[in-house]
């Protein structure tokens, strides 16, 4: 798990809780949860992808 702070998005800046699932030594699933998700109203999830050129802040 990791805590991230997203900046410059269409929704403004916000904090995320990121959960990684590791299978056979490789991250095969990533779940992003916003504060709203933790209260039950929104969740974004997806398969892990190759890192983009964007850096985490």
């Amino acid at each position: 798990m990791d805590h991230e702070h997203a900046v410059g998005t269409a929704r403004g800046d916000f904090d995320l809780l990121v959960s990684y699932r590791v299978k056979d030594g490789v991250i095969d699933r990533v779940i992003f949860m916003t504060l709203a998700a933790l209260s039950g109203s929104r969740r974004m999830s997806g398969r892990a992808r190759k890192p983009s050129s964007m850096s985490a802040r």
Side-chain angles (χ1 to χ4, degrees):
M1 297 191 92
D2 192 19
H3 171 252
E4 297 291 337
H5 181 73
V7 296
T9 71
R11 295 190 304 167
D13 299 352
F14 58 94
D15 290 303
L16 296 161
L17 178 63
V18 185
S19 175
Y20 303 93
R21 183 175 77 176
V22 178
K23 187 173 183 181
D24 298 324
V26 176
I27 297 172
D28 75 334
R29 185 170 187 182
V30 179
I31 299 173
F32 301 91
M33 293 173 274
T34 64
L35 183 58
L38 297 175
S39 66
S41 61
R42 182 173 203 143
R43 178 178 150 186
M44 305 177 333
S45 68
R47 292 222 170 256
R49 294 187 174 96
K50 290 183 181 178
S52 68
S53 59
M54 296 176 63
S55 62
R57 294 181 189 238

